[in-house]
Amino acid sequence: MSYKNGFLAAAAVTGLLCAVLPASANARPPHPPKGAHGGSSLWSAQGGPDMLEGISLTKQQRKKIDAILSDAHDQDQTDSIRNDMGKLHEQIQDQLTTPGPINKDQINTLLQQQASLRAQQEARHLDVAERIHDVLTDDQLAQIKARQTKIRDLMEQLREVQHPEPTDASK
């Protein structure tokens, strides 16, 4: 992957996280239970930016969000999506590294299965984000949206600095 494509991919992921998540907060969001690694929760520090950072949460909000994250973590631990994704990836790698002609139909079938699993994961992530959204006040959501806008603007400025438009040398 070229540097430009890598940067664009990183920017797209950041944008997706900012678009899906109801953004930043003052107190850190509740962390998953001890021993948990945050799973696939988009709200964890490992899964992306702490979108609740900078937002003051009441004790009741913290308790509700903690329960939502705990439930999501428990669900991540009991399903097989992550393992199934890994197995599909291995099967695709095997197809691509086996001597002889590539079975494109089989690879396409595996890619479709991967896409289906990703869609299931994203639907669950969106559900978690929606549940957390419903815990927050309109003022908290407005603060989060303002932070998201600022992050997007800064990312655009960074892109412009890293990849300036060519100047016309004929002038």
Side-chain angles (χ1 to χ4, degrees), residues 79 81 85 88 111-127:
D79 74 20
I81 289 178
M85 291 278 286
L88 289 169
L111 289 172
Q112 289 172 353
Q113 291 172 8
Q114 266 189 335
S116 175
L117 291 173
R118 276 192 201 103
Q120 290 175 38
Q121 275 184 323
E122 290 305 316
R124 286 197 353 223
H125 293 175
L126 182 58
D127 178 61

Side-chain angles (χ1 to χ4, degrees), residues 41-128:
S41 171
L42 295 174
W43 291 91
S44 70
Q46 293 175 350
D50 270 339
M51 301 307 289
L52 295 174
E53 199 167 309
I55 302 298
S56 294
L57 299 173
T58 66
K59 287 181 182 182
Q60 185 178 17
Q61 285 176 313
R62 288 175 204 235
K63 187 176 182 177
K64 287 179 181 179
I65 291 171
D66 186 35
I68 292 167
L69 293 175
S70 180
D71 289 348
H73 175 74
D74 291 347
Q75 186 176 9
D76 282 349
Q77 297 304 308
T78 60
D79 74 20
S80 64
I81 289 178
R82 192 175 310 153
N83 290 337
D84 293 346
M85 291 278 286
K87 289 176 185 174
L88 289 169
H89 182 74
E90 287 176 16
Q91 290 176 26
I92 292 168
Q93 284 181 325
D94 288 346
Q95 285 288 320
L96 295 172
T97 57
T98 300
I102 294 175
N103 185 338
K104 290 181 183 180
D105 290 336
Q106 188 173 12
I107 290 176
N108 285 331
T109 298
L110 295 169
L111 289 172
Q112 289 172 353
Q113 291 172 8
Q114 266 189 335
S116 175
L117 291 173
R118 276 192 201 103
Q120 290 175 38
Q121 275 184 323
E122 290 305 316
R124 286 197 353 223
H125 293 175
L126 182 58
D127 178 61
V128 169

Side-chain angles (χ1 to χ4, degrees), residues 12-23 42-43 51 121-133 144 148 152:
V13 169
T14 301
L16 178 62
L17 285 172
C18 290
V20 172
L21 300 175
L42 295 174
W43 291 91
M51 301 307 289
Q121 275 184 323
E122 290 305 316
R124 286 197 353 223
H125 293 175
L126 182 58
D127 178 61
V128 169
E130 287 174 357
R131 291 172 59 200
I132 291 173
H133 168 275
I144 290 166
Q148 287 175 332
R152 279 193 289 268

